Amino acid sequence: MQMNKSSQIINISRKQNISKANQVINMKVIMSIGRHSIHDIRAAVSLPSTTQSKVKTFLITMLSAAFVTLFLVLSVKYEKKENLLQPVNTPLIIAKSAKAEDNTRSLSSNAFKVTKSQDMTNFLFEPKLRPFSSDILSGYKNCSTLLEDIEEVAKYLVNDIVNTEIKYNSTRYIYASGDMSATYRRSSGPPTDGQKAPSKNQVDAESSFEANNQVEDVDEADIIKSDGTNVFLAYGNDLVWMRTNGTIVQRFSIPKINYVVPKIDHWNMSNINDETFIPKRSYRPWRPSSYQHIAGLLLNQNNTELVVIVSHFDSDNNFKFVSGAMTSSQIYTISGDTLTLKEQLTHLGKYQTSRLIDNKAHVVTMTYIENRNHLRDALRISTFPRWMNEQQYRQAAYNRALLIIPMYAKQLLAELIANNENDLVTSNSCRDIVSISDMLTGNADTADIKGRGIMDGFARTVSFHTTADTASLSSPRIAGAFFPTKSLDIYASKDYLVLAGRGSLRIPETFSFLDYTYLLQFQLDRDSAAATATPVAIGKVPGYFLNQFSIDQYQEHLRIATTTRAVWGYNEHTGWYGELVPSSSRITILKRKGSMLENTSILTDLGVRERIYSVRFFQEKAFVVTFRRIDPFFTIDLSDPQTPFVAGELKVPGFSSYLHLIENNQYVLAVGRDADETTGRITGGLQISLFDVTNFTDPKQIHKKIVERWNDSDALKDHLAFRYFAHTLILPVEYSTRYEAYDGFYSFNVSVENGITAQGTVTHATADFMGYGCWSKTSVPARSMVFKGDLMTVKGHVVKMSDGLVYPKEVWSVNLDENRTHASRCYRWFGGWVF
């Protein structure tokens, strides 16, 4: 019986069609043959000699057939293994519809056409993108072209991922040579002055409640807005409407943003036909907890519409390649004591900033693109068999990339612009998107950009007229552009909106990086009844900018101040790694020619081995502060854009973080910090300085005030926290030590003749008040307003009104957490630890 069974198995194995490349013989059959053969030999020992001879002949035949079968099986597997590593040469077909069921792909049905110029030695893609030129402003006639560009970007990403995997993970999984038999290796108190402060009747009893805007008549969104009688305040997700007498008209929470996330499932690794793929646990990038809060308010010039800009994030969203943050612009009509929601515009992207010009709102968002995580998971060395050497891994990763790149492109495009829950990307959805470019500058033979820096963020502008009817508001003008950074700043004048993003250029020879700032200029149509922001020009300048005050538009020229970091790298003369080129700052003046922002002139070598700490442009003048050990205060003449020059320079200890022009622009009031002029070490207190620039070639620091003890101020990093009015500086101040704490405002009289004199404080909280309250996680940034001579201050969790600017006394106070009890979660005054 055993012999008949063995014979049957052999007959079955002989009938197998082993010549087919895609057939795999079941190894259990061969093991069964071995087990039956041994048993047959043992049974044959007791048989007669004639029978034993026949059995031996039969067993020899059977074993020979088994070894031949084993040899053929191994040959087929090796041949199949080699076939999987061969590059595929089948053209890519882009489907007209984007449905999840079309995601199933195989090596034989979907790939990029490999050209002769393709680098097949290391199996690297040669992506082709538009250069950073005016051509990219034409945008996309249809979304198919954008889809192709995203696929080209994916090639950059794949090249970078594969090279990084080989560099850092190859010792764990890849054989150093082609010898597969080798064992893989493992890698081992209130201020006082002696001077007399002015009396109350010396202060002009007028009002100052507008935001401290950078540009006149260009209103910046803020957390507090007022028309002189009503005050609208954002406190977390609550909108508080109050009068200047302290009466609260309304307070309500903004309902949760109901954004229908498109059902998108183009990216699905289970649908690819790649037998080398070893599934691993997919890495999900860290995401913050869900949140929603009011990020800014805009009040139109008629005081009839209030725009509430809400920032929202749901950590449970199903987006794979974008962060999922949302921005909602809610337009309310103000009528009597009633707010009526007129329209709500919700768009993908994290809120950055917004401007209101002639009742036209322009909201800017940024969508973070997490384009490496899933791609990296799909191409990790650990997802490939360990028998591969480096060349075989490159080859297999290349072939797998051919399958997943189209999936990646469709998924990302749908997540960015799909406009309903059915994952519908209409043909004109990409019309106002600036074309993707490599943003590569310099000689491509000597410099290259990191793949992950090409498309890190997607900036979007949403423009609408606040007084328009509901039908017009429901169709705002939207434009978008990809940036090589997640960091974005915005400058706006009456006629232009400028988006500035930061990118880096890597120099392989010195292993160093060069910073570049990329500029995208939008034209604001002031004559049109509708609100529009149309991309009209692009440009780039070396270095990185500090903030929005680093950019300015004056007449036909755009001016930008940047700092170029020191270049560190290998010095072939000394043989050491060190500083090759010191840091320095510059002002670049550009003029629009066609669709390009071309250099008119460049003023270089401002503060060598220093960086910019503050900038202020005013018409044909500029003021720049750089710092390392001392504070060089530069006055710069820009009257001739062709030949700007440093008119004057003053070196003083410390540095200034914010510059404010006063007294008909003849003096500069500065807020910063004091520092040791020998070591550059910050010595603690706030420093208020007054510079005389009446003689532009010879600036002088005529007054200086140090606020004692180690303290901080929101005004150092937020210009909206700064207010200067009627020769009075209102400055938020806070400090906290082990035994005492203070949060509030200091008032200073600023006089060219008498200097900077302390004239009282407004205390919002002391250590005792902070310690015994139950505070919410929300905290209001510092703001101040003046209503008919009375001072309103907002900070932390309290709103206060005081009776003047000189030694102000409290009139009324509102605790925004008054009804909060310990039954709720309580936080400390300055946030942080829960108790």
Side-chain angles (χ1 to χ4, degrees):
M1 295 295 294
Q2 298 292 339
M3 290 170 53
N4 293 335
K5 190 173 184 179
S6 299
S7 178
Q8 184 181 3
I9 295 173
I10 292 175
N11 291 332
I12 292 175
S13 64
R14 287 175 177 175
K15 292 179 182 180
Q16 301 280 347
N17 186 4
I18 59 175
S19 61
K20 294 182 180 180
N22 61 349
Q23 183 178 10
V24 178
I25 305 298
N26 193 334
M27 293 301 296
K28 292 183 179 181
V29 175
I30 300 174
M31 295 303 296
S32 177
I33 293 173
R35 287 194 300 270
H36 290 304
S37 300
I38 294 173
H39 187 82
D40 291 340
I41 292 172
R42 290 176 178 174
V45 174
S46 60
L47 295 176
S49 58
T50 304
T51 306
Q52 289 184 19
S53 177
K54 293 180 180 181
V55 170
K56 289 179 181 179
T57 302
F58 174 78
L59 290 178
I60 291 173
T61 304
M62 182 189 64
L63 291 175
S64 299
F67 282 117
V68 170
T69 301
L70 181 60
F71 173 78
L72 292 174
V73 168
L74 294 177
S75 298
V76 168
K77 284 193 172 183
Y78 183 75
E79 181 182 357
K80 184 176 183 180
K81 191 182 303 176
E82 292 297 317
N83 289 336
L84 286 172
L85 297 176
Q86 294 300 320
V88 183
N89 195 22
T90 307
L92 170 66
I93 300 175
I94 301 177
K96 294 182 179 179
S97 62
K99 296 182 179 180
E101 57 265 27
D102 294 335
N103 284 340
T104 304
R105 304 181 180 278
S106 65
L107 283 169
S108 60
S109 62
N110 180 48
F112 288 97
K113 185 176 181 179
V114 181
T115 63
K116 292 182 180 180
S117 61
Q118 189 76 53
D119 185 357
M120 299 307 297
T121 303
N122 292 320
F123 292 93
L124 295 175
F125 290 101
E126 292 182 356
K128 303 297 181 183
L129 288 176
R130 296 172 180 82
F132 187 67
S133 65
S134 59
D135 293 339
I136 69 175
L137 293 176
S138 58
Y140 296 98
K141 294 181 180 180
N142 55 67
C143 290
S144 296
T145 310
L146 175 55
L147 185 68
E148 293 172 0
D149 280 357
I150 295 177
E151 290 174 347
E152 294 299 308
V153 172
K155 295 179 184 180
Y156 269 111
L157 301 173
V158 168
N159 287 348
D160 186 62
I161 290 170
V162 171
N163 288 332
T164 302
E165 285 290 298
I166 290 175
K167 182 177 180 180
Y168 294 105
N169 296 321
S170 61
T171 56
R172 295 182 59 193
Y173 294 100
I174 289 182
Y175 292 105
S177 65
D179 184 8
M180 298 182 187
S181 62
T183 304
Y184 67 89
R185 301 170 297 170
R186 292 184 179 271
S187 58
S188 42
T192 58
D193 280 309
Q195 301 182 35
K196 183 179 179 180
S199 61
K200 290 183 182 291
N201 58 14
Q202 289 178 284
V203 178
D204 192 3
E206 295 182 0
S207 300
S208 173
F209 49 81
E210 298 83 6
N212 182 26
N213 298 313
Q214 178 186 4
V215 179
E216 186 177 1
D217 296 329
V218 178
D219 190 32
E220 301 180 26
D222 198 6
I223 55 93
I224 186 170
K225 291 291 177 180
S226 176
D227 60 2
T229 302
N230 299 293
V231 178
F232 301 95
L233 172 67
Y235 186 62
N237 195 46
D238 287 0
L239 180 64
V240 182
W241 178 5
M242 61 194 310
R243 309 285 193 206
T244 54
N245 61 7
T247 303
I248 295 181
V249 181
Q250 287 188 42
R251 176 173 178 171
F252 62 91
S253 297
I254 301 297
K256 183 179 178 180
I257 302 302
N258 185 20
Y259 182 85
V260 179
V261 178
K263 298 176 182 178
I264 307 169
D265 192 26
H266 299 298
W267 179 268
N268 193 335
M269 289 298 295
S270 63
N271 289 337
I272 67 169
N273 185 10
D274 181 0
E275 294 191 9
T276 65
F277 180 61
I278 303 174
K280 298 287 183 179
R281 182 179 178 182
S282 179
Y283 168 78
R284 177 172 177 145
W286 177 87
R287 290 180 177 177
S289 302
S290 299
Y291 64 79
Q292 179 174 299
H293 64 267
I294 301 174
L297 303 174
L298 290 170
L299 182 64
N300 71 356
Q301 297 172 343
N302 306 328
N303 299 323
T304 56
E305 273 83 20
L306 177 71
V307 181
V308 180
I309 304 170
V310 181
S311 183
H312 171 83
F313 176 77
D314 186 353
S315 61
D316 293 329
N317 68 74
N318 295 318
F319 290 116
K320 293 181 172 67
F321 294 107
V322 302
S323 59
M326 303 289 176
T327 298
S328 177
S329 300
Q330 302 184 6
I331 302 95
Y332 288 86
T333 299
I334 305 172
S335 178
D337 292 345
T338 305
L339 285 176
T340 304
L341 180 62
K342 183 165 63 172
E343 187 57 68
Q344 176 174 301
L345 307 173
T346 303
H347 298 282
L348 184 67
K350 185 177 181 180
Y351 174 72
Q352 300 295 298
T353 188
S354 55
R355 300 289 189 272
L356 184 71
I357 306 170
D358 298 331
N359 286 335
K360 299 174 182 177
H362 304 278
V363 181
V364 181
T365 66
M366 172 65 88
T367 299
Y368 302 157
I369 301 177
E370 301 168 343
N371 49 30
R372 284 178 56 85
N373 293 316
H374 290 284
L375 281 175
R376 183 175 53 201
D377 284 344
L379 297 172
R380 288 182 185 276
I381 289 178
S382 59
T383 64
F384 291 86
R386 294 197 176 192
W387 49 259
M388 291 183 177
N389 58 28
E390 177 180 331
Q391 181 69 3
Q392 291 169 328
Y393 162 67
R394 286 186 178 274
Q395 199 170 356
Y398 178 87
N399 283 333
R400 185 180 296 173
L402 296 176
L403 305 180
I404 64 176
I405 284 176
M407 294 165 48
Y408 159 81
K410 281 190 175 183
Q411 182 77 24
L412 178 58
L413 180 62
E415 290 184 355
L416 284 175
I417 64 174
N419 55 12
N420 62 30
E421 61 179 351
N422 296 321
D423 177 22
L424 178 63
V425 178
T426 57
S427 59
N428 61 355
S429 301
C430 308
R431 181 185 58 188
D432 294 319
I433 296 178
V434 176
S435 299
I436 301 174
S437 68
D438 58 9
M439 294 192 177
L440 183 62
T441 58
N443 188 341
D445 294 333
T446 59
D448 68 284
I449 194 167
K450 295 291 285 183
R452 57 180 173 271
I454 294 177
M455 198 174 63
D456 281 355
F458 181 69
R460 194 187 317 247
T461 63
V462 181
S463 303
F464 56 90
H465 202 298
T466 57
T467 61
D469 55 25
T470 303
S472 300
L473 283 172
S474 61
S475 301
R477 181 67 181 269
I478 302 174
F482 292 91
F483 276 85
T485 178
K486 293 180 174 66
S487 175
L488 189 71
D489 221 322
I490 292 90
Y491 164 83
S493 66
K494 292 182 180 180
D495 300 307
Y496 294 100
L497 179 71
V498 180
L499 306 186
R502 180 174 173 178
S504 295
L505 190 71
R506 185 170 65 88
I507 309 300
E509 288 76 11
T510 58
F511 305 100
S512 58
F513 288 85
L514 296 179
D515 293 307
Y516 275 84
T517 295
Y518 297 95
L519 305 170
L520 178 58
Q521 186 182 55
F522 291 79
Q523 177 80 51
L524 305 180
D525 190 351
R526 299 179 62 191
D527 297 329
S528 172
T532 60
T534 306
V536 293
I538 62 168
K540 60 180 181 296
V541 296
Y544 65 91
F545 61 97
L546 178 66
N547 51 35
Q548 67 185 62
F549 288 92
S550 300
I551 309 172
D552 180 74
Q553 180 84 35
Y554 181 63
Q555 296 179 351
E556 297 180 341
H557 291 90
L558 183 70
R559 295 90 64 91
I560 179 169
T562 58
T563 295
T564 302
R565 289 186 298 179
V567 177
W568 294 76
Y570 176 75
N571 191 325
E572 59 182 10
H573 298 292
T574 63
W576 293 92
Y577 183 89
E579 186 182 66
L580 303 178
V581 180
S583 64
S584 65
S585 300
R586 67 181 69 197
I587 290 181
T588 305
I589 301 178
L590 306 104
K591 184 177 181 180
R592 178 184 165 191
K593 292 184 179 180
S595 300
M596 293 296 297
L597 294 171
E598 297 185 357
N599 289 353
T600 299
S601 61
I602 303 176
L603 178 63
T604 60
D605 296 333
L606 295 175
V608 177
R609 288 192 169 85
E610 298 177 339
R611 69 177 180 89
I612 292 176
Y613 270 68
S614 58
V615 184
R616 196 66 189 245
F617 289 96
F618 176 72
Q619 296 180 358
E620 298 177 347
K621 300 177 181 179
F623 307 93
V624 178
V625 171
T626 62
F627 176 74
R628 186 176 183 182
R629 291 190 177 90
I630 58 174
D631 175 359
F633 178 83
F634 295 99
T635 57
I636 300 169
D637 191 322
L638 304 174
S639 57
D640 183 1
Q642 301 284 345
T643 57
F645 64 93
V646 176
E649 179 181 354
L650 175 66
K651 295 184 178 181
V652 292
F655 61 87
S656 302
S657 297
Y658 174 70
L659 305 177
H660 193 83
L661 291 166
I662 64 173
E663 303 293 333
N664 296 320
N665 306 306
Q666 299 299 307
Y667 295 87
V668 177
L669 181 61
V671 178
R673 286 199 178 278
D674 192 21
D676 187 279
E677 59 183 312
T678 303
T679 63
R681 184 177 62 86
I682 297 174
T683 56
L686 298 173
Q687 176 178 273
I688 307 171
S689 304
L690 185 61
F691 295 95
D692 183 353
V693 294
T694 53
N695 183 354
F696 201 58
T697 61
D698 186 24
K700 290 180 170 41
Q701 185 186 62
I702 58 175
H703 298 295
K704 176 179 176 180
K705 172 72 176 177
I706 303 296
V707 181
E708 299 300 333
R709 78 172 61 242
W710 189 272
N711 43 43
D712 197 7
S713 174
D714 288 355
L716 293 176
K717 49 188 176 296
D718 183 1
H719 66 282
L720 297 174
F722 180 100
R723 184 167 297 276
Y724 176 79
F725 172 73
H727 305 285
T728 300
L729 172 64
I730 308 299
L731 199 65
V733 176
E734 64 184 55
Y735 60 84
S736 178
T737 66
R738 184 175 180 181
Y739 301 104
E740 57 180 341
Y742 175 86
D743 197 16
F745 292 80
Y746 287 3
S747 176
F748 299 92
N749 177 262
V750 180
S751 170
V752 174
E753 296 79 14
N754 300 323
I756 303 169
T757 308
Q759 58 181 24
T761 64
V762 176
T763 301
H764 276 236
T766 58
D768 290 341
F769 185 68
M770 295 177 189
Y772 292 103
C774 178
W775 311 112
S776 66
K777 190 177 183 179
T778 297
S779 180
V780 180
R783 298 292 185 266
S784 59
M785 293 179 166
V786 181
F787 299 97
K788 297 180 180 180
D790 290 340
L791 175 63
M792 174 184 280
T793 53
V794 180
K795 198 174 192 305
H797 311 272
V798 172
V799 182
K800 284 197 173 189
M801 181 69 82
S802 303
D803 64 346
L805 306 180
V806 181
Y807 294 108
K809 295 181 180 179
E810 181 180 311
V811 177
W812 54 260
S813 178
V814 174
N815 181 354
L816 297 173
D817 287 333
E818 183 176 6
N819 297 324
R820 191 178 183 86
T821 65
H822 285 273
S824 305
R825 175 172 289 186
C826 296
Y827 292 82
R828 296 186 185 276
W829 176 271
F830 290 115
W833 300 104
V834 181
F835 64 94

